[in-house]
Amino acid sequence: MTAAYFSALSAALNAAQCDVPVLVLDRDRLDHNLAVLSRQGLPGLRVVVKSLPSLSLLDYCMGALGTRRLMSFHRPFLQQLLARYDDVDILLGKPLPAAAVRRVLAETPRERVQQVQWLVDTEARLAQLLALAREFKLRLRVNVEVNVGLQRGGVDSPAALSRLEAAVLAAPDALQLSGLMGYDAHAAKAPRPLASVGAAIARSQQRYRDFLGALRSDSGGLTLNGAGSPTHRRHTANSPLNDISLGSVLVKPADFDLDDLADYEPALWIATPVLKRRRGVRIPFLGALGSLPGRARDSLFIYGGRWMAVPACPRGMRESKLYGLSSNQQLMTVPADCDIAVDDWAFLRPTQSEAVMLQFGDLRVFSGGAVVDRWAPLVNDQDLTNCD
């Protein structure tokens, strides 16, 4: 990113009268990323809610991609989705505790419950879901998590999947098999020389086919979900999937700087005011460290800190490992000749979106050189009685 780009962001934030740390979404870059994704022609795109946790942002992305499929991982988020949408298919990305499922079933209209595919990974989880289905006199859709190599749970063998499927088929009044979910993010970071990305993807896809081969149900009507931002473009016509999940790549946090994602652009920034600038770098008990020949640095204290983020602007800004981190006013060091002053904006790039996007209140939407909108994040509370 150029200095001119961050200068334009700074001017827009000042014009919008921002004065505390904010999260900025570059909508023009988001549009670029949506266009890159759309050109790939992938089947059944499903937008991951935890990675883009704002109803306005989800609306924008679903509209651009022409999809009405979401993946949710969090009970309060699921309830907000069910309150807003009556035409969206929602796949759970992890099994929820039985108490969380019970609460959703108790507080959601019966017809909206049918939008959900509940994820199960063990016979015990399936038994819980069956008991709840019978208690509430519902027929619940069941999606089975399969372990394609990530080793984070899910059924480990085709035989185990067969047993789960048999239990679902034995309760047709209460359960319906809706599909499989196999997440393969591990393949994108295959460690050489143990494996290449291509070989890891091929192995995970073969495992998925092995699971499919164990099913008695017709797979033609099932949701066969998998992938994720790191591996989505590896699922071409030869993939067993018909349902591709992704989200983070659309705003591209720093953890997604992968070769496969090089044509996507970072679109999310933490902007925070500079509170203090001090000449040199002075560390308690150690004295001045910022005047070494050829390495002169100054100290910035920024508003807030300790975020899951990496410095982006000004050039050469970095954390001080000696001074440590602070969530109140964090010390950042910069080259002594750096042109930044008190009340200017410093910028950091989130390393992930799912947690960081919930920390700043409304997203400031930047487009065409100005802050043009504010998009509220999803509510991360236990009680949602006042959520619209």
Side-chain angles (χ1 to χ4, degrees):
M1 265 22 75
T2 66
Y5 174 80
F6 289 111
S7 178
L9 279 182
S10 295
L13 292 169
N14 289 334
Q17 300 183 338
C18 296
D19 59 2
V20 297
V22 294
L23 197 62
V24 181
L25 174 68
D26 187 325
R27 196 177 68 191
D28 300 333
R29 287 170 169 263
L30 172 63
D31 287 341
H32 167 86
N33 293 340
L34 288 164
V36 170
L37 176 58
S38 295
R39 287 196 295 269
Q40 296 173 49
L42 295 171
L45 291 175
R46 185 177 296 273
V47 180
V48 175
V49 174
K50 70 177 177 64
S51 303
L52 305 171
S54 161
L55 292 173
S56 296
L57 179 54
L58 292 171
D59 285 342
Y60 193 85
C61 292
M62 285 195 293
L65 297 172
T67 184
R68 304 302 290 172
R69 305 183 191 193
L70 296 174
M71 175 176 279
S72 181
F73 290 75
H74 187 37
R75 191 269 304 159
F77 290 1
L78 174 61
Q79 290 185 277
Q80 290 166 79
L81 300 176
L82 290 171
R84 184 178 183 93
Y85 304 115
D86 62 5
D87 64 338
V88 170
D89 182 86
I90 305 171
L91 172 61
L92 269 294
K94 65 187 177 190
L96 293 184
V101 178
R102 175 188 294 277
R103 181 163 179 176
V104 175
L105 298 182
E107 297 178 0
T108 304
R110 294 174 66 88
E111 63 275 10
R112 294 287 177 98
V113 170
Q114 300 310 313
Q115 296 174 232
V116 181
Q117 297 187 54
W118 303 94
L119 196 70
V120 299
D121 59 334
T122 64
E123 294 181 52
R125 284 290 186 201
L126 183 63
Q128 290 177 339
L129 204 61
L130 175 58
L132 288 167
R134 294 221 159 111
E135 177 184 343
F136 286 90
K137 297 180 172 57
L138 292 165
R139 190 178 190 222
L140 301 180
R141 294 196 293 159
V142 177
N143 193 294
V144 181
E145 182 179 8
V146 294
N147 179 11
V148 296
L150 183 61
Q151 309 302 345
R152 194 174 65 180
V155 297
D156 287 315
S157 69
L161 175 61
S162 292
R163 291 192 295 273
L164 273 177
E165 182 192 27
V168 172
L169 296 176
D173 60 315
L175 302 175
Q176 173 191 354
L177 183 67
S178 65
L180 305 179
M181 190 277 280
Y183 186 45
D184 62 8
H186 65 287
K189 298 184 179 180
R192 290 184 177 276
L194 296 178
S196 67
V197 173
I201 288 286
R203 279 199 294 272
S204 69
Q205 290 185 355
Q206 185 55 54
R207 282 184 60 83
Y208 208 116
R209 293 188 190 96
D210 293 342
F211 285 115
L212 283 174
L215 290 178
R216 292 166 49 193
S217 305
D218 178 10
S219 63
L222 299 180
T223 296
L224 305 179
N225 175 266
S229 286
T231 59
H232 71 277
R233 64 193 342 160
R234 298 280 180 152
H235 290 277
T236 59
N238 295 323
S239 172
L241 306 183
N242 62 18
D243 195 85
I244 306 292
S245 296
L246 52 79
S248 296
V249 72
L250 296 176
V251 294
K252 200 180 182 184
D255 283 353
F256 293 81
D257 283 341
L258 305 171
D259 290 344
D260 271 9
L261 308 179
D263 49 350
Y264 289 93
E265 295 182 344
L268 199 63
W269 310 99
I270 296 170
T272 186
V274 174
L275 300 178
K276 306 167 185 174
R277 178 166 182 168
R278 292 168 66 84
R279 187 173 179 178
V281 179
R282 285 173 277 183
I283 307 294
F285 309 110
L286 298 180
L289 301 176
S291 58
L292 299 177
R295 299 180 61 188
R297 298 185 69 80
D298 285 352
S299 302
L300 298 182
F301 288 89
I302 60 173
Y303 195 142
R306 209 182 183 99
W307 298 297
M308 298 175 68
V310 293
C313 182
R315 175 189 55 81
M317 181 174 68
R318 61 175 182 250
E319 299 168 349
S320 169
K321 290 184 171 55
L322 289 174
Y323 200 90
L325 304 179
S326 169
S327 56
N328 171 39
Q329 45 183 325
Q330 184 164 308
L331 170 65
M332 309 295 287
T333 72
V334 294
D337 60 358
C338 177
D339 183 19
I340 190 169
V342 168
D343 291 347
D344 285 347
W345 291 93
F347 294 90
L348 299 94
R349 183 182 171 199
T351 55
Q352 62 159 247
S353 57
E354 58 195 71
V356 176
M357 288 181 73
L358 301 174
Q359 294 181 278
F360 293 87
D362 289 356
L363 286 167
R364 270 46 175 203
V365 181
F366 174 77
S367 179
V371 174
V372 297
D373 209 346
R374 293 172 61 152
W375 289 352
L378 287 165
V379 178
N380 197 22
D381 289 341
Q382 293 298 309
D383 294 308
L384 302 170
T385 53
N386 294 319
C387 279
D388 186 7

